[in-house]
Amino acid sequence: MNKLKIAVFASGGGTNLQSIIDHCEDNKIDAEIVAVVSNKINAYAVERAKNHNITTIIVESKKFKDRNEHEAEIIKQLAPYNPELLVFAGYMRLVTPDFIRHYYNKEKNLPGIINIHPALLPSFPGTSGYEDAFDYGVKYSGITIHFIDEGVDTGPIVLQETFPRNDSDTLEEFKKRGLSIEHRLYPMAIRLYAHNKLKIEGRFVKILE
Ligand code: GAR
């Protein structure tokens, strides 16, 4: 089987990127990272990619007039690498419907952009899922992997896993518990995509045998 070509998009520290790199290098997922894309020149995720000789594409949003121009530059720079799936791993930018359409995977008949969110969607969308769930006082939170659609964290859910908030938890401990799930769940979702095990029925993503 050919390896699934993925481009990982990250704006921050890149611990999810690292987990995906490790899973690819250990052949635990049939995927190859063809590029790491960032909107932040100083993102540690970029260093991680360089440490593994992965192509990096930095397109700083502040250098462009608007979202369309920023995305057009990403599309242009990414085109030679022909990614089959964009994997958003702490990429803190919303994307336009045109961008989403551009990366639709016609061969698999599936959306071509996937995202990880650190809460049990549809609860606590946005950029601070851990903090928002913790401050709300939930007893259980979770991790969601979902396809990107036009809304903010509203796309069809691929995988979810819950975890508890313990009475003695600090926010840091709560986050740490969630992150260890993220690092396991994201490679699992990429593996399912690579092996054609996902099928969308309405909003429901079925996991095939
Ligand atoms: C992760 O917790 C991810 O779930 C979250 O950003 C963090 C990135 O960490 N994503 C979002 O909040 C998306 N709205 P990382 O850079 O160490 O992978």
Side-chain angles (χ1 to χ4, degrees):
M1 195 183 111
N2 284 339
K3 288 189 173 185
L4 181 78
K5 292 181 183 177
I6 62 175
V8 181
F9 282 52
S11 306
T15 64
N16 277 288
L17 166 66
Q18 188 66 55
S19 163
I20 295 165
I21 291 174
D22 295 345
H23 278 77
C24 289
E25 286 186 352
D26 297 345
N27 289 315
K28 287 184 182 152
I29 46 179
D30 287 324
E32 176 195 356
I33 304 176
V34 293
V36 166
V37 179
S38 187
N39 58 324
K40 300 271 182 209
I41 203 157
N42 295 322
Y44 189 61
V46 173
E47 286 308 307
R48 293 181 191 269
K50 286 183 180 159
N51 290 340
H52 291 263
N53 295 318
I54 297 168
T55 299
T56 56
I57 295 175
I58 320 286
V59 187
E60 286 183 286
S61 31
K62 62 182 179 203
K63 294 200 171 147
F64 294 85
K65 190 179 88 212
D66 58 27
R67 204 174 285 281
N68 289 326
E69 287 196 1
H70 179 241
E71 290 180 352
E73 183 62 24
I74 294 175
I75 289 173
K76 191 176 104 191
Q77 290 201 38
L78 200 49
Y81 304 98
N82 284 316
E84 299 168 86
L85 177 67
L86 307 192
V87 176
F88 284 11
Y91 184 62
M92 298 304 192
R93 299 260 317 160
L94 297 176
V95 289
T96 64
D98 281 348
F99 189 84
I100 296 166
R101 261 192 298 279
H102 182 86
Y103 287 107
Y104 188 83
N105 189 318
K106 292 192 197 79
E107 222 165 88
K108 293 189 186 286
N109 202 18
L110 286 174
I113 313 178
I114 200 168
N115 183 45
I116 189 159
H117 184 75
L120 264 192
L121 290 174
S123 290
F124 312 114
T127 54
S128 42
Y130 284 123
E131 291 78 1
D132 293 346
F134 190 87
D135 290 346
Y136 192 89
V138 298
K139 295 284 180 181
Y140 281 88
S141 191
I143 302 301
T144 303
I145 313 247
H146 66 97
F147 287 121
I148 293 270
D149 70 0
E150 281 83 359
V152 178
D153 297 330
T154 53
I157 291 168
V158 178
L159 292 175
Q160 280 185 313
E161 188 172 319
T162 57
F163 65 92
R165 172 184 172 166
N166 297 337
D167 287 350
S168 62
D169 271 356
T170 61
L171 173 61
E172 284 319 303
E173 288 164 336
F174 176 72
K175 252 186 179 175
K176 197 169 161 208
R177 189 169 307 119
L179 266 174
S180 71
I181 294 174
E182 293 194 38
H183 299 157
R184 179 165 47 74
L185 212 58
Y186 222 175
M188 199 186 286
I190 296 167
R191 190 182 302 125
L192 291 169
Y193 195 96
H195 288 257
N196 301 317
K197 297 290 188 195
L198 302 176
K199 189 177 176 215
I200 300 198
E201 292 180 352
R203 277 195 53 87
F204 189 73
V205 181
K206 226 177 179 173
I207 300 185
L208 307 171
E209 283 303 303

